[in-house]
């Protein structure tokens, strides 16, 4: 399997928020040290205020940095699981295929089919029903609380429709693109019985998911050529 990186969005965002975090925390420390040197009483008070402000802003950037790092770890887990599941050498894995609705995290193209992946690294009990997605986690004190995770299947579905329309514009029609949301966190537990059109799995389900979408070598080559054109326009 050959991997082609079309976007390094997660890495770039993680680096940006990490750098901002370091700068803001450093500014807070400097203001706390320099302030009293200028004017003892006013400097201590002003330095303390600036320390609080910079540390707050730095903490906000730290939360964002942590979020993107979790996404990167999730993609690493996905890559390891996918590599172990694929036994055909004609597959090409595109990372970060840009669309009008964001991007497709990973797009696998080969004679065995076309598979679009959305990677999520949430932990807890992930549930899907007619009301949408939610996750339930248990706090350290044993209390259950719920939270939203957006709409990963809807996001992936929109990106797949965009890709189908793009392939159609390149003269490639009637291609089934199998959409798969992969929850990579080791402590993720899924209940998605009502989910339609898009699959939702943990990494253990990847081998079974990569079946039943064969398109043959000729169509695979044409799709690869079309995706390569997208890369050229970036």
């Amino acid at each position: 399997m050959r991997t082609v990186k079309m976007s390094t969005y997660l890495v770039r965002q993680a680096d940006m928020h990490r750098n901002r975090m370091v700068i803001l925390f450093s500014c807070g420390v400097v203001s706390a040290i320099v302030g009293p040197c200028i004017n003892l009483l006013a400097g201590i008070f002003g330095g303390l205020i600036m320390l609080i402000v910079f540390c707050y802003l730095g903490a906000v950037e730290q939360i964002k940095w942590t979020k993107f790092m979790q996404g990167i770890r999730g993609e690493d887990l996905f890559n390891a699981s996918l590599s172990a599941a694929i036994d055909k050498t004609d597959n090409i894995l595109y990372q970060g295929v840009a669309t009008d609705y964001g991007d497709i995290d990973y797009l696998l193209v080969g004679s065995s089919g076309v598979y679009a992946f959305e990677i999520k690294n949430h932990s807890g009990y992930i549930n899907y029903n007619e009301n949408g997605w939610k996750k339930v986690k248990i706090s350290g004190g044993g209390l259950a609380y719920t939270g939203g995770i957006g709409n990963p299947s809807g996001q992936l579905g929109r990106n797949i429709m965009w890709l189908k329309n793009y392939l159609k514009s390149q003269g490639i029609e009637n291609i089934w693109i199998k959409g798969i949301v992969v929850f990579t966190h080791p402590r993720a537990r899924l209940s998605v019985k009502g989910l339609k059109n898009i699959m939702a799995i943990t990494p253990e389900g990847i081998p079974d998911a990569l079946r039943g979408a064969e398109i043959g070598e000729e169509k695979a080559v044409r799709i690869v050529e079309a995706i390569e054109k997208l890369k050229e326009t970036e």
Side-chain angles (χ1 to χ4, degrees):
M1 179 180 68
R2 180 165 64 94
T3 300
V4 178
K5 288 189 175 182
M6 299 181 69
S7 170
T8 57
Y9 175 77
L10 282 179
V11 174
R12 287 187 285 107
Q13 290 296 309
D15 288 346
M16 179 185 69
H17 291 297
R18 180 201 59 203
N19 293 339
R20 288 179 179 176
M21 174 188 70
V22 171
I23 291 171
L24 287 165
F25 282 143
S26 298
C27 288
V29 172
V30 170
S31 63
I33 295 174
V34 174
C37 296
I38 299 174
N39 183 296
L40 184 59
L41 184 59
I44 291 176
F45 179 75
L48 180 61
I49 294 297
M50 294 304 295
L51 175 64
I52 293 172
V53 171
F54 280 122
C55 285
Y56 171 78
L57 295 175
V60 172
E61 293 298 324
Q62 184 178 25
I63 291 172
K64 294 178 180 179
W65 172 66
T66 300
K67 177 183 176 182
F68 283 105
M69 288 303 298
Q70 288 176 343
I72 292 172
R73 284 191 289 270
E75 292 197 346
D76 289 342
L77 289 169
F78 166 76
N79 273 294
S81 299
L82 185 65
S83 297
I86 291 179
D87 57 3
K88 290 187 177 182
T89 58
D90 70 335
N91 290 287
I92 300 179
L93 182 66
Y94 293 96
Q95 179 181 356
V97 180
T99 76
D100 289 345
Y101 304 102
D103 62 23
I104 298 172
D105 288 341
Y106 287 93
L107 182 70
L108 180 67
V109 181
S111 59
S112 58
V114 183
Y115 302 87
F117 297 94
E118 177 75 16
I119 311 303
K120 296 297 181 184
N121 197 31
H122 298 283
S123 63
Y125 296 91
I126 312 297
N127 176 265
Y128 174 84
N129 57 32
E130 65 275 7
N131 296 317
W133 291 89
K134 70 175 182 179
K135 67 176 178 179
V136 179
K137 296 188 70 173
I138 308 298
S139 69
L143 297 176
Y145 62 95
T146 61
I149 62 171
N151 185 7
S153 58
Q155 178 182 350
L156 182 56
R158 288 189 294 272
N159 285 329
I160 288 174
M161 286 304 301
W162 182 92
L163 182 57
K164 283 185 175 181
N165 288 332
Y166 168 71
L167 292 177
K168 186 176 180 179
S169 73
Q170 301 298 307
I172 305 170
E173 299 187 57
N174 302 320
I175 297 295
W176 178 31
I177 301 174
K178 196 171 185 178
I180 307 170
V181 181
V182 185
F183 290 89
T184 55
H185 199 286
R187 292 194 297 274
R189 300 293 181 268
L190 304 184
S191 176
V192 292
K193 293 181 179 179
L195 187 61
K196 298 179 181 179
N197 302 321
I198 301 292
M199 295 182 66
I201 59 174
T202 56
E204 293 78 12
I206 288 177
D208 288 336
L210 299 180
R211 296 174 183 171
E214 291 79 4
I215 60 173
E217 185 176 348
E218 182 181 349
K219 285 186 177 180
V221 169
R222 293 179 62 197
I223 292 172
V224 166
E225 290 173 350
I227 301 300
E228 291 293 331
K229 289 181 181 179
L230 285 176
K231 185 181 177 182
E232 293 171 1
T233 60
E234 291 185 345

